[in-house]
């Protein structure tokens, strides 16, 4: 059998992770990304322990370990600064600390791990057709590609999902709009990672590993609502909240020294696949990440679940079964977990969107009264996930040497 070929539609976090994982399992990979450049501008991403273990399992741990991990407690606050809840750092329980990075940093690290020539920018995937002899033909804007398997990682508005599941209702508006930006952290004291809940509004602060600060805000709004002045809208909503939120809002006018020009805002309405897909595969096509299970960002698990998808899919495709059987096993492994997490994220959003004063008071009391042991058990189901075994490292590599040392230690 010759080297098998997989086409990955989409060059986001999930698609690139899948491409790296499959290439390290011996597949020839082609990544088609419709954008002319890979970007992760304006946003951070928290790599929770489950995602970091997944990346480590395919040899990408060192690539994302630069800078400082998230330290101290994570928690929820009220607009006056009082703490509703705080949870201890994840490293002591899950063996690895969560790490918050700029999305562009993660995209660059994944792209750098691809084989030469694997990435095709400015190329979109329009559809997939069955071909003879157990293959598929992928229709792209640059012509047709023949492949043994296809990974549909083409996002919330996935064209391939629409082709494979035409009766599925697709994304649904989740009732909130959100702003995101990355700011300079110069001159600021050490900031805890925290989210502040008000009445139908939230403000989040996440220190990034490179010293910058990722901030995000949400508000209940009708779909398509667009303020004339985003900064003025954020100041109006959050300018009187606890420190350091006003100071961070002041920095929205200051260019980040690492990036030319003014601070870049991302402003998006939240959407989700509220109705789960019946399966995450069809024939020789597997759906991954937002294309398979777009979820609200309330648990910070959207990107993490895409990374999990990718390493599980690569592991199964590298097994001894054929592609259709491997993809059926992928659905079996991923559909239930991602559906549960998506529903849990939706319930969290329902709580955060409460705006009636009495309902907010009851919510805040309930959060304060919830025992820490209950919260910890809830986190275990998210962060305690373990990846399948990664590919064997090349003989003589640093990874192989490290693994050899670990095995010797275990045998002693």
């Amino acid at each position: 059998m010759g080297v098998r070929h997989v086409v990955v539609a989409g060059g986001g976090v999930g698609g690139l992770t899948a491409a790296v994982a499959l290439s390290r399992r011996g597949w020839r990979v082609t990544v088609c990304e419709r954008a002319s450049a890979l970007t992760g501008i304006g946003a951070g991403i928290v790599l929770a322990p489950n995602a970091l273990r997944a990346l480590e399992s395919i040899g990408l741990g060192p690539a994302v370990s630069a800078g400082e991990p998230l330290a101290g407690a994570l928690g929820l606050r009220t607009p006056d600064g009082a703490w509703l809840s705080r949870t201890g750092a994840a490293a002591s329980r899950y063996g690895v600390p969560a790490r918050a990075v700029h999305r562009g940093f993660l995209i660059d690290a994944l792209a750098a791990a691809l084989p030469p020539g694997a990435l095709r920018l400015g190329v979109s995937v329009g559809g997939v057709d069955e071909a003879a002899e157990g293959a598929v033909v992928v229709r792209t804007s640059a012509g047709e590609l023949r492949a043994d398997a296809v990974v549909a990682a083409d996002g919330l508005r996935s064209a391939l999902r629409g082709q494979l599941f035409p009766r599925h209702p697709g994304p649904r508006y989740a009732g909130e709009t959100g702003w995101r930006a990355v700011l300079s952290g110069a001159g600021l004291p050490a900031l805890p990672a925290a989210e502040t809940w008000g009445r139908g509004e939230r403000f989040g602060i996440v220190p990034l590993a490179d010293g910058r600060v990722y901030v995000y805000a949400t508000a209940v709004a009708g779909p398509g609502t667009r303020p004339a002045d985003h900064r003025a809208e954020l100041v109006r909503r959050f300018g009187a909240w606890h420190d350091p939120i006003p100071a961070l809002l002041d920095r929205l006018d200051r260019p980040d020294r690492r990036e030319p020009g003014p601070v870049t805002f991302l402003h998006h309405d939240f959407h989700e696949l509220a109705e789960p897909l019946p399966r995450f595969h069809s024939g020789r096509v597997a759906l991954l990440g937002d294309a398979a299970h777009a979820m609200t960002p309330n648990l910070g698990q959207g990107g993490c679940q895409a990374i999990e998808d990718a390493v599980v899919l690569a592991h199964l495709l590298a097994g001894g079964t054929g592609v259709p059987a491997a993809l059926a096993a992928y659905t079996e492994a991923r559909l239930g977990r991602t559906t549960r997490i998506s529903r849990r994220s939706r319930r969290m959003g329902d709580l955060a969107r409460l705006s009636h004063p009495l309902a907010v008071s009851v919510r805040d009391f309930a959060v304060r009264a919830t025992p820490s042991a209950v919260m910890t058990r809830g986190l275990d189901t998210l962060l305690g996930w373990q990846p399948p075994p990664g590919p064997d490292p090349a003989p003589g590599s640093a990874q192989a040497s490290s693994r050899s040392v670990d095995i010797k230690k275990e045998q002693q």
Side-chain angles (χ1 to χ4, degrees):
M1 179 187 294
V3 175
R4 294 181 294 178
H5 179 215
V6 60
V7 172
V8 179
V13 169
L16 292 176
T17 304
V20 173
L22 284 163
S23 70
R24 294 184 175 188
R25 295 283 192 175
W27 283 70
R28 180 169 66 90
V29 298
T30 301
V31 181
C32 297
E33 167 53 47
R34 60 173 165 257
S36 59
L38 292 178
T39 62
I41 192 168
I45 181 171
V46 176
L47 296 173
N50 54 314
L52 286 171
R53 282 193 296 271
L55 292 171
E56 289 174 355
S57 75
I58 58 172
L60 288 178
V64 298
S65 61
E68 295 297 321
L70 278 177
L74 314 176
L76 292 176
R77 306 179 78 172
T78 59
D80 63 2
W83 289 95
L84 291 173
S85 71
R86 303 182 80 172
T87 57
S92 60
R93 186 170 184 86
Y94 304 110
V96 59
R99 189 173 295 274
V101 300
H102 195 286
R103 193 170 290 259
F105 166 81
L106 179 58
I107 292 289
D108 288 346
L110 293 170
L114 290 173
L119 179 60
R120 300 189 183 183
L121 296 173
V123 177
S124 60
V125 173
V128 176
D129 300 314
E130 292 185 6
E133 301 175 0
V136 290
V137 173
V138 184
R139 290 179 273 113
T140 82
S141 57
E144 294 183 345
L145 296 171
R146 188 178 179 88
D148 298 283
V150 176
V151 177
D154 50 345
L156 176 70
R157 308 288 179 184
S158 170
L160 293 182
R161 184 184 66 233
Q163 176 189 341
L164 299 177
F165 301 101
R167 296 185 179 180
H168 188 271
R172 183 188 73 176
Y173 181 53
E176 286 182 283
T177 193
W179 296 263
R180 295 176 289 165
V182 173
L183 308 175
S184 170
L188 292 174
L191 300 176
E195 188 170 281
T196 301
W197 285 10
R199 293 171 53 185
E201 299 171 331
R202 286 179 284 173
F203 197 98
I205 301 170
V206 182
L208 298 184
D210 63 9
R212 289 182 286 179
V213 182
Y214 170 45
V215 298
Y216 60 90
T218 74
V220 175
T225 302
R226 296 292 180 267
D229 185 327
H230 288 290
R231 183 188 180 281
E233 180 72 4
L234 290 170
V235 170
R236 180 184 72 82
R237 290 180 178 273
F238 306 103
W241 286 22
H242 66 80
D243 292 332
I245 292 174
L248 292 169
L249 292 174
D250 285 343
R251 295 190 173 216
L252 293 175
D253 286 334
R254 303 183 193 178
D256 188 325
R257 291 179 299 173
R258 300 169 187 261
E259 298 177 1
V263 172
T264 300
F265 282 100
L266 292 178
H267 180 220
H268 297 293
D269 291 341
F270 294 169
H271 290 82
E272 62 173 337
L273 290 185
E275 180 179 320
L277 291 172
R279 57 191 182 280
F280 287 170
H281 74 284
S282 180
R284 290 177 172 266
V285 182
L287 290 99
L288 178 152
D290 282 353
H293 48 70
M295 60 186 67
T296 57
N298 301 303
L299 295 177
Q301 279 288 313
C304 296
Q305 289 306 303
I307 292 170
E308 284 189 17
D309 289 345
V311 299
V312 170
L313 178 62
H315 171 75
L316 293 169
L317 282 172
T321 63
V323 169
L327 298 193
Y330 166 69
T331 285
E332 180 70 20
R334 298 301 301 160
L335 179 58
R337 174 168 168 80
T338 55
T339 298
R340 289 189 296 272
I341 292 173
S342 179
R343 289 172 176 166
R344 184 172 168 184
S345 182
R346 187 181 312 130
R347 290 193 296 269
M348 181 71 76
D350 291 340
L351 288 176
R353 286 196 303 275
L354 292 175
S355 59
H356 190 281
L358 179 58
V360 169
S361 295
V362 172
R363 176 198 70 191
D364 292 354
F365 175 81
V367 173
R368 284 192 180 99
T370 301
S372 60
V374 174
M375 293 188 175
T376 298
R377 286 197 297 271
L379 288 175
D380 285 349
T381 62
L382 291 176
L383 309 184
W385 178 87
Q386 295 290 335
D392 292 333
S397 68
Q399 186 185 359
S401 299
S402 175
R403 184 174 295 182
S404 174
V405 171
D406 291 343
I407 292 172
K408 289 178 180 177
K409 287 180 179 179
E410 291 171 2
Q411 292 174 342
Q412 291 175 350

